[in-house]
Amino acid sequence: MTEIQTRPWTDEDLRRLRDAEPSFSAETLSSRFLTGSIRWPASYLASLGSPESWGTTRLGQVALADGDLVGVAECTWLTDSPRPAELSILVADTWQRRGIGRLLATSLLSQCEAAGITHIEAVAQTANTGCLALVRSIISDTDAPTGWNVRSRLSDGLRQFQLVRQESVAAGDILTPFHVPVNLRAAAASTST
C-alpha cells in the first residue's frame, strides 16, 4: 500500500508539478482552469515560481506518493486587495476519489486558519460532482478544521463556494456577495460549447 504524504508547498515542488503533468488528463486540467487546457498554463507555472511578482500571496499543500506529486491545493489572493482568497484543488486522475482532495483541503484550511484568512471562495463547473462531494465531506468530517461556514450557489454553469470563518460572522462581518471573475465566465462559456 502506497503511503500518501501531505505537506506545505516548497520551491522544489514546481519541478515535481511539471514532471507530474502526464498524470493529469485534459479533462482534469480543463476542470481546474475552466479552459480547454491540455497542459499546465505557462502563466500558472510562472505565478507558482514567483507569486510576489504577480502581486499575489499563496499558501499551498501537496500530496506525494512515493515522492511523486499526485495532488496540489492552493489558496491565493491579491496582496493589495480586499477580495477573498481563492481556493483550488487538483488531484491526478488515478488518485481521484481516494480521499486525497479531502486530505489536501483540510491541511490547507488549517494553514489558512493559522495565517488568519477568514474569507475564501472557490469556483467549479457544475458537472464537477467530485468538487461538491469534497465540500460535503469536509463539512461532515469531524477531523477537519472546524469553524468554517460554507455556502454555495449556481450561476452561469458554475458552482460557487464561499467559506467564511465562524468568528468572522460572529464579529459582524457580512458574508460577501458571490462573484465570478469575468475571465472565468468567458472560459466556462467557451468550454461548454
Side-chain angles (χ1 to χ4, degrees), residues 51-181:
E52 65 286 342
S53 69
W54 289 73
T56 60
T57 303
R58 181 177 183 278
L59 294 174
Q61 285 287 131
V62 295
L64 303 171
D66 296 329
D68 295 327
L69 189 140
V70 296
V72 62
E74 59 188 322
C75 193
T76 58
W77 61 97
L78 295 174
T79 306
D80 296 328
S81 173
R83 297 196 72 137
E86 293 183 14
L87 172 71
S88 63
I89 299 169
L90 188 61
V91 177
D93 289 60
T94 58
W95 291 94
Q96 292 176 8
R97 292 175 176 55
R98 294 186 185 192
I100 292 176
R102 184 173 38 79
L103 286 172
L104 285 166
T106 56
S107 298
L108 185 60
L109 287 175
S110 293
Q111 196 177 2
C112 289
E113 287 177 28
I117 295 171
T118 59
H119 293 73
I120 300 172
E121 291 184 351
V123 178
Q125 294 170 328
T126 54
N128 188 343
T129 56
C131 179
L132 184 57
L134 172 62
V135 170
R136 287 181 177 152
S137 75
I138 292 169
I139 293 169
S140 63
D141 186 350
T142 57
D143 294 328
T146 57
W148 290 95
N149 286 322
V150 180
R151 295 190 315 162
S152 95
R153 76 177 184 117
L154 298 175
S155 175
D156 297 328
L158 299 174
R159 181 172 297 277
Q160 303 165 42
F161 297 96
Q162 185 178 62
L163 294 84
V164 179
R165 291 285 300 154
Q166 285 180 357
E167 65 266 13
S168 296
V169 175
D173 284 359
I174 297 171
L175 291 174
T176 58
F178 286 102
H179 75 280
V180 176

Side-chain angles (χ1 to χ4, degrees), residues 21-39:
E21 186 175 66
S23 301
F24 297 87
S25 68
E27 182 181 347
T28 295
L29 291 173
S30 180
S31 178
R32 160 59 180 94
F33 296 104
L34 300 177
T35 64
S37 298
I38 59 171
R39 300 187 57 107

